[in-house]
Amino acid sequence: MGALEGQLLDARVTLRGPLPPPKGVAVILIDDTDIAQIGQFPPPRSVLASAIDAARAQGASAIVLDLLLADPTPRDDALSAALARPGPVVLATARGGPPFVDDTLADAIDRSAVEAAVSATSGALEMPIGPLPDFAASSTLGHVNLALEPDGKLRRLPAALPFVAVDGGAWIPGLALASLRAADPERFTPIVLRGARAGGTISLGRTTVPLDQFGAIPLVFYGDTGTVPTWPLRDLDQANLEGRIVFLGVSAQGARDRYPTPFDPAMPGAEAHATLAANLIEGRTLRRDHVAWALGGMLALIVAGIAYPAARQRPRFVLPALTALALATCVALQVAFLAGWWLDATTVLICFTLAAGLGIAVQAVKHARHARNLAQYHAPSLRSSLAESDLSALTGRQMNAAALFVDLSGFTGRSEKIGPKGTGDLLDQFHQRIARLAAEHGGVVDQIVGDAALVTFGLPEPAPGDAAAALSFAADVTQTQDDPAHSLRLGAHYGPVEVRALGGADHSHVTMVGDAMNAASRLQEVAKGAGARIAISDTLLQQSGTPARWIDELALRDLGPVELRGRKMLLHVWVS
């Protein structure tokens, strides 16, 4: 998650864009061209001495050497003399391995004389690398250890690190902090460390900076390499150094002192230290302490609390709601960043994703349950059509279909005898039987009203065998009459219908309308009047293609043309 958070911070930095170049610092780099002109690497100490004298002459408030002067050379006298002349100089020291942090060490940090030594912890500390004692005697020390992120980028610098000394151990501030004390001791002295992990602070005079969980100070980068005013060593006489802290470093390839940042894949280490110094001068810090973590956690909880119900809205509202919330969250993170707060975007992102995912999952389960419940009220053949097609594609079509009206005979009298519970059980048996047989034969239970049911064949798509399937259903549904639940009367017809969705704006029912439905209902009355259990139109028999078979199987007798109630045209009817 550390690498992800780093990338999310880089996105905020990119969105913010470059900042105006700082005015209080400058960088002098010994680049490849300088090394070629000098003729050797590392550069001779006499060259460094000349650079220090030149920077002083141009009014530098302090000079910082981002170089580890750990080994003696033949020209050290020249540098020792330059360091001894008036004008503060800060030299670099370093330690190997990960930073050791122990709050039992003294809080106070004073210059390189290691006045805060604590011998009890010296065994756990590490020996410093450079500078030579003669150089250190007339200079201030600052450590140059960096803290690279899991993705290899530089986003913060350790505020102070403990080192071994002859008489014990001491905390030494970072190069940037040491440069501020050297350049303006009245403003940035004393340097006091209170705790070196998350929740700790480091104070430079009246300026207090919260530390992150690693005891480091996040950097506020100004832009690409060179945004901090920078000149090569060969142009030192043309540089504007008046009143600036000057960081002198090496950017040549052999120095290996370049690091990727949010703006640049290879920023010189000297410019990174100068960036932190400029941040502290301008009061432009980025908080990553306990308070920032708490604010980030609160934002994560708020986002999660909104994302969950947003994900449970109606489907057409979910994406806009979550998109709006995501944008609002990004704006909140960016506003906090611009105000100097590094809130943990990874935690916010995870909480948003989990809450939204949970809301969507809960809603999906709810919809699936609703779909299962609602599916009970539609025939299997109709369910898939309603689920896969727009309702408008299904309705409005005209076709020929078979319609059968089935009624429980003698229902009113039986209902009076068996009471409400018995009536309910009787209707339940009736409905289940009709639904099962309709499904077996490919029909659709179009309507059920009390003790009557309308079954259709041809919905959602008409087929050549609809009439035969309807007659097969009629044979099965009326074959057993000894059970009261099976004492049925049936009317069946075949004719033109239209598919319609009838109902209101919030609820509709897909059904067939047309003369075939009305005729089937009236044929059931004909059967009752003729003392029969089945009344089937000759139209349906002929449409089956094998009328003789069905006349024989259903034991039908020809009733001839019959006038149906409310219908002008006679209809040829067969009864059984």
Side-chain angles (χ1 to χ4, degrees):
M1 290 203 307
L4 175 59
E5 179 58 29
Q7 297 300 318
L8 293 174
L9 178 67
D10 291 353
R12 282 170 271 182
V13 173
T14 302
L15 186 60
R16 182 208 67 190
L19 296 173
K23 298 178 180 179
V25 299
V27 178
I28 303 298
L29 293 177
I30 304 173
D31 60 17
D32 289 303
T33 302
D34 291 321
I35 295 298
Q37 292 178 358
I38 294 169
Q40 72 177 78
F41 183 85
R45 303 285 165 80
S46 58
V47 172
L48 300 180
S50 298
I52 292 173
D53 288 337
R56 281 176 176 153
Q58 294 188 54
S61 60
I63 301 163
V64 184
L65 267 63
D66 184 19
L67 299 163
L68 293 174
L69 307 175
D71 300 317
T73 71
R75 303 182 184 181
D76 286 348
D77 290 345
L79 181 56
S80 296
L83 294 174
R85 284 190 277 272
V89 177
V90 180
L91 299 182
T93 187
R95 53 173 290 180
F100 175 87
V101 178
D102 188 336
D103 290 346
T104 63
L105 292 177
D107 286 338
I109 298 177
D110 207 343
R111 56 187 305 277
S112 61
V114 293
E115 297 172 1
V118 180
S119 58
T121 62
S122 62
L125 305 181
E126 299 179 14
M127 292 297 294
I129 303 172
L132 294 173
D134 288 345
F135 298 156
S138 55
S139 305
T140 297
L141 289 187
H143 79 78
V144 293
N145 288 80
L146 304 179
L148 298 181
E149 303 292 314
D151 61 357
K153 285 189 176 181
L154 177 65
R155 298 187 181 91
R156 60 185 112 202
L157 290 176
L161 295 177
F163 289 81
V164 166
V166 175
D167 56 351
W171 287 92
I172 295 181
L175 201 63
L177 279 67
S179 72
L180 295 176
R181 179 176 56 190
D184 190 352
E186 184 175 340
R187 176 182 175 187
F188 294 109
T189 301
I191 299 179
V192 180
L193 179 69
R194 296 183 177 87
R197 293 185 183 273
T201 62
I202 191 162
S203 298
L204 295 85
R206 294 184 296 275
T207 301
T208 299
V209 181
L211 305 180
D212 68 6
Q213 69 270 34
F214 303 111
I217 303 175
L219 293 166
V220 180
F221 289 99
Y222 291 88
D224 297 333
T225 294
T227 302
V228 174
T230 302
W231 291 269
L233 180 64
R234 60 187 176 276
D235 294 336
L236 179 56
D237 58 342
Q238 303 173 24
N240 177 15
L241 307 182
E242 182 67 34
R244 298 176 186 265
I245 301 175
V246 178
F247 288 79
L248 175 60
V250 179
S251 63
Q253 293 296 327
R256 298 182 180 178
D257 192 28
R258 286 180 173 270
Y259 306 94
T261 70
F263 277 114
D264 197 289
M267 176 176 283
E271 184 169 354
H273 292 292
T275 296
L276 179 55
N279 291 166
L280 296 174
I281 292 172
E282 297 176 352
R284 195 189 294 274
T285 55
L286 189 59
R287 293 188 65 168
R288 181 71 166 160
D289 59 353
H290 279 329
V291 179
W293 281 96
L295 290 176
M298 290 175 57
L299 178 61
L301 292 176
I302 292 172
V303 169
I306 299 174
Y308 178 74
R312 298 195 61 189
Q313 300 299 312
R314 293 183 179 180
R316 66 176 180 271
F317 297 137
V318 171
L319 183 58
L322 292 180
T323 300
L325 177 59
L327 290 174
T329 302
C330 291
V331 169
L333 289 169
Q334 187 66 18
V335 169
F337 172 74
L338 295 177
W341 295 88
W342 178 354
L343 305 187
D344 194 72
T346 303
T347 301
V348 176
L349 176 64
I350 290 175
C351 290
F352 170 82
T353 303
L354 291 178
L358 179 62
I360 291 173
V362 169
Q363 198 68 0
V365 171
K366 179 181 177 181
H367 286 163
R369 184 173 66 249
H370 287 179
R372 287 194 301 271
N373 293 339
L374 292 174
Q376 301 178 45
Y377 302 98
H378 296 286
S381 59
L382 190 57
R383 290 176 205 160
S384 58
S385 295
L386 290 173
E388 298 171 5
S389 304
D390 186 84
L391 188 60
S392 61
L394 186 64
T395 60
R397 291 185 300 164
Q398 295 184 352
M399 63 185 76
N400 289 317
L404 298 91
F405 191 87
V406 186
D407 185 26
L408 273 172
S409 59
F411 173 75
T412 302
R414 271 185 279 173
S415 177
E416 183 182 7
K417 293 178 181 179
I418 62 180
K421 184 179 185 307
T423 301
D425 292 341
L426 176 64
L427 289 175
D428 188 47
Q429 295 176 41
F430 168 64
H431 294 165
Q432 289 187 29
R433 177 174 172 77
I434 295 297
R436 177 174 58 82
L437 291 176
E440 288 178 1
H441 293 279
V444 172
V445 179
D446 190 290
Q447 297 178 34
I448 290 182
V449 182
D451 64 327
L454 178 63
V455 181
T456 59
F457 289 80
L459 187 70
E461 295 290 341
D466 287 341
L471 292 170
S472 180
F473 167 80
D476 283 352
V477 81
T478 57
Q479 67 181 350
T480 305
Q481 295 291 316
D482 52 353
D483 189 330
H486 299 157
S487 300
L488 308 176
R489 190 175 292 110
L490 180 147
H493 183 49
Y494 186 91
V497 298
E498 182 174 315
V499 181
R500 284 294 182 94
L502 302 179
D506 297 329
H507 170 74
S508 60
H509 173 68
V510 178
T511 184
M512 289 182 176
V513 296
D515 179 61
M517 325 316 249
N518 299 326
S521 175
R522 297 295 181 259
L523 285 170
Q524 184 268 341
E525 296 176 1
V526 170
K528 181 178 181 180
R533 56 193 176 89
I534 300 175
I536 298 176
S537 71
D538 186 68
T539 306
L540 178 58
L541 288 173
Q542 297 302 321
Q543 186 64 32
S544 71
T546 56
R549 171 201 166 188
W550 293 109
I551 291 173
D552 180 62
E553 184 170 334
L554 294 172
L556 297 173
R557 59 186 174 87
D558 191 354
L559 199 62
V562 174
E563 182 180 353
L564 303 182
R565 181 170 61 88
R567 198 172 187 270
K568 293 182 179 180
M569 295 182 62
L570 299 179
L571 187 65
H572 192 168
V573 180
W574 296 76
V575 297
S576 171

